[in-house]
Structures are given as structure tokens and as C-alpha cells.
Amino acid sequence: MNNKLKITLLAVLISLTWCASYAQTNTKEPAKTLEIGQEAPDFTLADSKGDSLCLSSLRGQYVVLDFWGTWCKWCISGMPKMKEYYEKYAGKFEIVSVDVMDKKQKWLDYLANADMPWKQVRQTPFNMVSKLYYVKAYPSKFVIDPEGKIIKISAGEDKRFYSFLDDLFKE
């Protein structure tokens, strides 16, 4: 084999190897998400008093897991409706609001002046619960049944979320 042919074959081989390697490292995985019927991922976060709250400690009751932040205008504008439903169906479910991306003091200052009587926890860079739940929009709400299964997922402030609660808790 002459040298020119050897160099050409070597160049082709290197190109193919590089292309295969590039394609393998740059192939996007399908977007991950949680689905209705899946078990809700468990977590433990500190509440506003510094006490630990473990999601699984609420088994046996319905839970609304609400991902929000003080920086999110839709989250803030939806809080009166959340409070209305918390009072409307008192004792039928618990709300756990998970603050995302706020500095601790800003979160605490907001809670001191907010009328949000349900459980409040804050994720930290060391415990990114929003990643466990694949949250991509705020607010995001997950309704979890007494057995710990996700039965509703709602992204954004959506009237259908409250209709779902009405259907779930009507007598």
C-alpha cells in the first residue's frame, strides 16, 4: 500500500472515530419527568423554624407539594387561592410549600409577613428537591395521595388544579 493511501485511510478512520465519539457525548437524553401513579420522591428539608420535615412523615393524608419562590410573581399571586383552598378543605390535605432559589433571610422575611399557615420548607444547594421532581416551571404543584403516589401534576397557576381539588374532596 502506498503512503498516500495509508494517510487517506488513517484520516478517514480518525474522522469516523471522532464523529462517533462526538455523537455519543452530544446525544440529548429524552427529558425526564415524573408521571401520574409514580411514587413521590421522599426528601427531608428544614422548615422555617429549623426543624426537619420529611415528606414520608405525611403518609396517610393527601399532600399538595408546592414549588415556589418570592421572585415568582405567579407564585405570589396564586397564594390567596391556595389559602382559600387550604381553609375550604381544612383537615383533608396538607400543603408543603418548597421555596426554591431564595436566600434564607429573604425567605424568612417574606414568611414573617405572609399569611401562609401551612408547612414551609426551603431547598438548599445541597438538597435540590426541585431536581428530584424535575420542576421546570413555577409554581409547580404535585398532589400526592395517602399512599405516597403522585395523582396530579400542575405547572403554572392553573384553574384546573383547583377544579381537581374540588373533585377530589367533594363530599
Side-chain angles (χ1 to χ4, degrees), residues 64 78-95 115 117-118 141 143 157-170:
V64 171
M79 288 303 173
K81 192 74 166 174
M82 286 280 283
K83 184 175 183 225
E84 175 189 330
Y85 271 70
Y86 185 71
E87 292 170 350
K88 181 177 183 177
Y89 296 115
K92 294 190 176 189
F93 75 105
E94 185 59 68
I95 299 174
D115 191 15
W118 52 88
K141 297 175 182 73
V143 180
E157 199 54 40
D158 187 349
K159 291 177 183 176
R160 292 175 293 184
F161 169 76
Y162 296 102
S163 295
F164 179 83
L165 293 181
D166 285 331
D167 290 342
L168 183 62
F169 297 124
K170 67 180 170 187

Side-chain angles (χ1 to χ4, degrees), residues 43-100:
F43 62 85
T44 301
L45 290 173
D47 67 14
S48 57
K49 296 174 188 153
D51 297 325
S52 291
L53 174 71
C54 183
L55 178 64
S56 60
S57 72
L58 300 173
R59 284 271 169 92
Q61 59 187 313
Y62 286 95
V63 175
V64 171
L65 193 57
D66 172 40
F67 290 89
W68 74 291
T70 63
W71 45 268
C72 169
K73 71 176 186 173
W74 294 111
C75 302
I76 301 303
S77 69
M79 288 303 173
K81 192 74 166 174
M82 286 280 283
K83 184 175 183 225
E84 175 189 330
Y85 271 70
Y86 185 71
E87 292 170 350
K88 181 177 183 177
Y89 296 115
K92 294 190 176 189
F93 75 105
E94 185 59 68
I95 299 174
V96 177
S97 285
V98 180
D99 176 74
V100 179

